[in-house]
Amino acid sequence: MSVLVIGIGNKYRSDDAVGLEIADSLSECNIKNCTIQRSSGEGIALINLWEDFDHVILIDAVKSDSKAGTIHTIDLSKESLQTDFFQTSSHLFALPEAVQLAKTLDKLPKTMLVYGIEGKNFDYGTELSPEVLKAKIELTDRIKTELLELSFNILS
Amino acid sequence: MPTVKNLKMKVSSMSKSNTKIINVDYLARVEGEGSLYLKIKDNKVQDVKFKIFEPPRFFEAFLRDRHYSEAPDITARICGICPVAYQMGAVHAMENALGLTINDNLRELRRLIYCGEWIESHVLHVYMLHAPDFLGYQDAIQMAKDHPDVVNEGLRLKKIGNELVTLLGGREIHPINVRVGGFYKLPTKKDFHSLLENLKWARTAAHSMIKLTSSLEYPDFQQDYEFVALRHPDEYPFNEGRLVSNRGLDIDVSDFEKHFEEEHVEHSTSLHCKLKERGKYKVGPLARYSLNFDKFSPEVQKAAKDAGLKEECYNPFQSIIVRAVEVLHAVNESIRIIENYKEPKSPYIEIDPKESVGYACTEAPRGICYHRYNLDSEGLITDANIVPPTSQNQNSIESDLRELIPLIIDLPDEEITWKCEQAIRNYDPCISCSCHFLKVTIDRE
């Protein structure tokens, strides 16, 4: 069973880079049966990436009313994505739209788990906020453990 | 800067005597953020301001004191939709500065990765962002319910563009394999095998894309544009050529700043670019097509004419057909390059830095993208200037709206808003290169 992990974000928009940085960290672990990709979040490219996989994990920065560094977990087999949740993307056809379109065209993977890290600063820059950096380390470890066990129980 | 997005436009309307205001918080199906202000008095357009909220020119400042070799990877981050355009502008400008010309198969590979980006970008726009306008759907998701085969065809076509960019760029967004002097790693002939089969399917799909777009209904809306595009003696332009227009402009790329100027306007934080002598001009598919029709292959020319296009196109709503025609060209060009590909002896040519200035202009999917870099003797960037296509088209977008609104002024405000958005989408404005969101305000007196 192979798993696709997609880190979404913009390297030069401060906390928006957290998904990409987690993808970078996971790449260094060389986890078996796991493909790591990075994406700007453009929706059609996301569908193109995930359509050949049964199990997908997405990681992106989010902005809601939660505390910076909060890790949100959305299991798409149980709940829907709020369209204004992943508002950090400048793409108008982004992750929420991609999920809806894929659902319409029967191109959703069997399981899809979305991790969102609450960001604080999305201005131009290359540093993560301290709260987001802490969440990055925590979520990287969590996903790494899940992938290494690869029982993928959380999704099955 | 991120702000709240909603899937649907928020439209509010206030009417008192002859004054009416419509606010649309978000223009759907364009890349980025901005706003539009329309003032209408006694049913006549008084003012049109296409506003773009461009953050400070972070990237130009960020490039200063960086080594010239870093520019392709840094500039690729300006845009998630057209990173290759920025990379190509950067590498060509650096090579111009340092006196290097790339020929033969390395040059061909650069054309090939650009083909991939044109396919990706045009297919995304035609199928997912613009076609719903013409077919009366709120978005591609609604369209997919009634036309799943059409949307699936778009998805498959776009994936082929992604594969081209991934193979040559190392990954499909923000490619990392492009460098000044060539590439870091070269593909082998074998790497192209499955891609070639997919491209042959794409050729048929591109023909059906042209037929689909030509079957749509267009308003009769011919505009008197000054088109500006690259023109190359031997080929439909991607990376090289002189800058020409249909009103006599014919200059070397290095003279761009002598003939064009960017100016701040109060209502936009993005610079507006204009021709010093004549003001507004238009870049992008219509300009490229109209100035370079003779460079298409007979097959592409015939497909365009069968679709009802003439050798020049002045109706911005027909840009959707022109994009489909350019997809066919990009697919055919990809097939040609791959079939003739011979692996170069070296993936790149070494180059020594020197104090210099370099210029380049390439044809991004949305139009010409100009780069200038000043380097010191160690190859560090001391100054940079990048002019993206959408900032060049801002004046033309406003002009289109001024001409369009009188034709639709009696429609309900929601329909006016929709038509204005569609007219803006004709440009496929990638305002995420420089800004985000569009908010529309109509002020009637």
Side-chain angles (χ1 to χ4, degrees):
Chain A
M1 179 172 64
S2 62
V3 182
L4 173 67
V5 179
I6 308 175
I8 298 171
N10 184 331
K11 184 180 171 184
Y12 294 111
R13 294 294 286 260
S14 302
D15 290 342
D16 195 35
V18 67
L20 301 176
E21 293 198 13
I22 291 176
D24 288 343
S25 300
L26 292 170
S27 287
E28 291 167 8
C29 300
N30 293 319
I31 300 166
K32 199 177 171 187
N33 294 324
C34 178
T35 302
I36 311 287
Q37 292 279 7
R38 293 149 194 85
S39 171
S40 70
E42 188 273 295
I44 301 305
L46 288 173
I47 296 174
N48 289 154
L49 283 175
W50 75 49
E51 65 185 343
D52 296 328
F53 289 84
D54 288 332
H55 305 284
V56 175
I57 295 174
L58 294 131
I59 312 151
D60 197 1
V62 301
K63 193 173 182 200
S64 64
D65 294 329
S66 305
K67 273 175 58 182
T70 302
I71 299 172
H72 304 270
T73 308
I74 302 157
D75 181 347
L76 286 183
S77 65
K78 294 174 185 162
E79 54 192 315
S80 305
L81 278 186
Q82 297 170 40
T83 54
D84 59 355
F85 194 53
F86 291 85
Q87 58 200 246
T88 54
S89 170
S90 65
H91 297 295
L92 270 295
F93 201 95
L95 176 59
E97 293 78 22
V99 168
Q100 288 184 56
L101 181 62
K103 199 172 179 182
T104 304
L105 296 173
D106 199 21
K107 285 181 179 291
L108 271 183
K110 284 179 186 166
T111 66
M112 184 180 282
L113 194 61
V114 181
Y115 288 112
I117 294 182
E118 189 77 21
K120 186 163 86 174
N121 173 25
F122 293 93
D123 288 338
Y124 279 105
T126 54
E127 301 290 327
L128 297 181
S129 304
E131 300 94 325
V132 173
L133 181 62
K134 191 176 166 205
K136 173 195 143 181
I137 295 165
E138 181 188 331
L139 184 56
T140 304
D141 285 346
R142 192 196 302 180
I143 296 173
K144 186 179 160 188
T145 303
E146 289 166 359
L147 291 171
L148 286 171
E149 289 172 357
L150 212 64
S151 56
F152 228 65
N153 290 332
I154 52 167
L155 297 170
S156 59
Chain B
M1 186 170 66
T3 44
V4 175
K5 285 182 184 176
N6 301 299
L7 254 186
K8 293 181 180 178
M9 294 178 293
K10 287 182 187 172
V11 179
S12 61
S13 181
M14 294 193 310
S15 296
K16 54 178 183 179
S17 63
N18 293 326
T19 303
K20 192 176 280 183
I21 298 170
I22 298 177
N23 287 309
V24 179
D25 289 335
Y26 152 48
L27 179 80
R29 287 180 274 123
V30 301
E31 284 291 340
E33 300 168 25
S35 74
L36 179 67
Y37 173 78
L38 305 175
K39 184 170 185 181
I40 299 167
K41 187 175 182 181
D42 297 330
N43 264 11
K44 288 183 181 169
V45 181
Q46 297 287 308
D47 197 11
V48 174
K49 292 189 177 100
F50 178 53
K51 303 178 183 180
I52 285 182
F53 310 119
E54 183 182 38
R57 291 207 159 199
F58 169 80
F59 282 93
E60 287 168 337
F62 194 59
L63 283 161
R64 284 186 202 120
D65 298 327
R66 296 280 190 152
H67 195 255
Y68 77 87
S69 60
E70 294 181 87
D73 287 346
I74 292 173
T75 55
R77 299 285 179 161
I78 294 174
C79 179
I81 301 294
C82 41
V84 172
Y86 287 96
Q87 286 200 317
M88 289 295 118
V91 296
H92 279 270
M94 294 306 179
E95 289 159 8
N96 176 257
L98 302 174
L100 177 67
T101 303
I102 300 297
N103 291 313
D104 304 324
N105 280 302
L106 284 176
R107 182 180 186 277
E108 291 283 79
L109 288 178
R110 286 190 174 166
R111 283 180 69 77
L112 186 57
I113 193 172
Y114 227 142
C115 287
E117 178 155 290
W118 276 26
I119 295 168
E120 281 181 326
S121 179
H122 280 352
V123 168
L124 173 67
H125 184 257
V126 168
Y127 284 92
M128 305 300 160
L129 306 179
H130 214 191
D133 276 332
F134 292 94
L135 294 169
Y137 294 98
Q138 186 67 44
D139 54 39
I141 299 159
Q142 303 305 316
M143 194 173 88
K145 290 176 184 169
D146 294 338
H147 302 283
D149 293 345
V150 170
V151 177
N152 273 318
E153 185 175 78
L155 286 173
R156 189 173 169 192
L157 259 175
K158 185 172 183 298
K159 190 174 186 179
I160 291 168
N162 294 352
E163 286 170 354
L164 271 171
V165 174
T166 303
L167 180 59
L168 291 164
R171 56 191 188 196
E172 63 197 54
I173 57 126
H174 305 148
I176 49 169
N177 190 37
V178 173
R179 57 165 288 167
V180 179
F183 292 84
Y184 288 99
K185 187 183 170 196
L186 290 173
T188 64
K189 185 102 181 165
K190 195 178 168 187
D191 290 334
F192 288 118
H193 185 70
S194 63
L195 196 49
L196 193 55
E197 293 306 308
N198 288 337
L199 282 163
K200 286 176 181 171
W201 172 85
R203 186 180 194 171
T204 305
H207 276 288
S208 76
M209 184 181 180
I210 295 169
K211 280 186 188 153
L212 170 74
T213 54
S214 67
S215 70
L216 304 171
E217 285 187 26
Y218 301 93
D220 183 11
F221 189 70
Q222 307 287 323
Q223 295 300 296
D224 184 23
Y225 294 121
E226 176 159 7
F227 289 133
V228 175
L230 286 177
R231 182 164 169 85
H232 187 278
D234 305 320
E235 59 202 17
Y236 199 77
F238 281 113
N239 286 315
E240 297 170 26
R242 289 175 67 79
L243 276 171
V244 302
S245 87
N246 51 337
R247 297 204 181 139
L249 183 81
D250 186 353
I251 59 169
D252 189 86
V253 168
S254 61
D255 289 331
F256 181 91
E257 289 172 61
K258 290 179 190 162
H259 293 266
F260 297 83
E261 65 182 351
E262 292 182 284
E263 59 179 8
H264 279 290
V265 290
E266 194 179 337
H267 63 265
S268 177
T269 57
S270 176
L271 297 170
H272 278 210
C273 195
K274 64 178 188 179
L275 272 160
K276 287 180 182 174
E277 285 188 13
R278 293 181 294 278
K280 69 182 166 66
Y281 63 100
K282 182 180 174 82
V283 303
L286 254 57
R288 266 193 308 264
Y289 175 95
S290 301
L291 294 168
N292 292 284
F293 183 85
D294 60 317
K295 300 302 177 192
F296 280 132
S297 68
E299 176 192 344
V300 176
Q301 289 183 355
K302 182 176 184 304
K305 288 189 172 176
D306 288 349
L309 294 177
K310 295 179 179 171
E311 294 186 12
E312 294 177 334
C313 180
Y314 291 89
N315 184 343
F317 290 91
Q318 290 184 308
S319 59
I320 191 170
I321 312 177
V322 174
R323 286 190 178 88
V325 169
E326 287 195 333
V327 168
L328 176 61
H329 169 73
V331 167
N332 284 349
E333 183 68 356
S334 301
I335 292 169
R336 181 194 68 75
I337 292 169
I338 291 172
E339 286 182 336
N340 294 309
Y341 177 63
K342 288 178 185 160
E343 197 173 330
K345 287 178 183 169
S346 172
Y348 59 88
I349 298 169
E350 287 284 1
I351 195 164
D352 292 323
K354 64 179 179 182
E355 187 173 347
S356 53
V357 186
Y359 310 87
C361 205
T362 73
E363 284 285 355
R366 291 153 187 82
I368 57 169
C369 185
Y370 169 77
H371 291 233
R372 170 183 49 80
Y373 299 97
N374 296 51
L375 305 179
D376 68 13
S377 58
E378 294 179 353
L380 297 180
I381 298 166
T382 57
D383 192 31
N385 187 20
I386 300 171
V387 185
T390 297
S391 79
Q392 298 178 71
N393 275 335
Q394 283 180 86
N395 285 321
S396 193
I397 290 171
E398 290 183 352
S399 172
D400 280 6
L401 291 165
R402 275 191 205 96
E403 297 298 320
L404 176 67
I405 291 162
L407 306 177
I408 58 174
I409 207 152
D410 294 327
L411 292 175
D413 288 344
E414 283 192 31
E415 283 188 47
I416 291 176
T417 301
W418 179 288
K419 296 282 183 193
C420 287
E421 289 181 322
Q422 186 179 0
I424 294 168
R425 277 192 286 274
N426 287 335
Y427 287 77
D428 187 13
C430 192
I431 48 187
S432 59
C433 288
S434 52
C435 65
H436 298 261
F437 280 175
L438 197 81
K439 175 181 175 180
V440 179
T441 302
I442 301 179
D443 186 348
R444 285 184 192 258
E445 288 184 9

